[in-house]
């Protein structure tokens, strides 16, 4: 992730997330971005990510076994009335199911721990991101939050 200079913690009312590979917890990061949970720009970014998921999946399926690229999807989890977004490091795609491991611990969703294995439906993702150290693709929500 070192090739990417964008470092943003995504927090909205009742929701918080962290960029993959970040080494600090959201409350330790000096730059928090708060957005309403029903933010129209973030909803549009999620819709774009889902509509272009075939780009992500095609790249994932065609990657070399020794590829250093990181394939991640952003998901939203809830606990005790609080929501939080997380990046999931993708290990498998099977039809409309994505399996991977959480890339950070939860701040609002305390039961979510880095390394937890989860499977989600494509329709549930909030964003996707491919980082191969030279460039990145996706990250539609990060573009909104960088404004």
């Amino acid at each position: 992730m070192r090739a990417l200079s964008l470092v943003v913690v995504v927090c909205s009312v009742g929701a918080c997330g962290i960029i993959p590979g970040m080494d600090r917890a959201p409350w330790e990061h000096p730059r928090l971005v708060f957005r309403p949970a029903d933010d129209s720009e973030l909803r549009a970014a999620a819709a774009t990510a889902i509509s272009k998921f075939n780009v992500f999946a095609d790249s994932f399926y065609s990657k070399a076994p020794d590829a250093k690229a990181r394939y991640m999807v952003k998901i939203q989890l809830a606990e005790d009335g609080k929501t939080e977004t997380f990046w999931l490091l993708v290990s498998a795609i099977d039809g409309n199911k994505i399996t991977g491991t959480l890339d950070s611990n939860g701040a609002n969703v305390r039961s979510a721990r880095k390394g937890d294995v989860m499977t989600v439906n494509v329709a549930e993702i909030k964003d996707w991101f491919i980082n191969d150290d030279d460039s990145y693709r996706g990250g539609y929500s990060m573009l909104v939050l960088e404004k």
Side-chain angles (χ1 to χ4, degrees):
M1 185 61 144
R2 288 171 178 59
L4 182 64
S5 62
L6 175 65
V7 178
V8 178
V9 176
V10 182
C11 289
S12 61
V13 177
C16 183
I18 192 167
I19 293 225
M22 187 179 290
D23 59 353
R24 290 188 264 178
W27 55 88
E28 295 173 332
H29 197 276
R31 183 165 179 238
L32 296 177
V33 179
F34 291 90
R35 299 293 286 252
D38 63 347
D39 185 278
S40 62
E41 289 181 296
L42 289 176
R43 278 197 322 265
T48 299
I50 290 170
S51 73
K52 295 183 177 189
F53 186 76
N54 63 315
V55 173
F56 180 92
D58 290 347
S59 179
F60 182 84
Y61 290 132
S62 65
K63 70 181 171 129
D66 61 347
K68 293 181 181 175
R70 289 172 50 112
Y71 290 80
M72 296 158 278
V73 294
K74 184 183 276 187
I75 62 170
Q76 183 170 308
L77 301 176
E79 178 180 86
D80 298 329
K82 296 178 182 177
T83 60
E84 185 169 356
T85 57
F86 294 86
W87 287 101
L88 194 66
L89 184 57
V90 176
S91 57
I93 302 173
D94 185 11
N96 286 330
K97 301 279 186 188
I98 306 163
T99 300
T101 56
L102 289 182
D103 200 44
S104 63
N105 292 324
N108 288 328
V109 178
R110 297 274 184 192
S111 64
R113 308 309 299 159
K114 182 176 182 170
D116 286 353
V117 176
M118 308 193 89
T119 299
V120 297
N121 292 315
V122 170
E124 297 175 61
I125 68 169
K126 303 298 181 189
D127 202 351
W128 58 262
F129 185 81
I130 303 169
N131 178 12
D132 66 5
D133 287 335
D134 294 329
S135 64
Y136 72 91
R137 289 178 278 166
Y140 305 103
S141 65
M142 293 186 296
L143 296 174
V144 169
L145 294 166
E146 189 58 18
K147 290 182 182 181

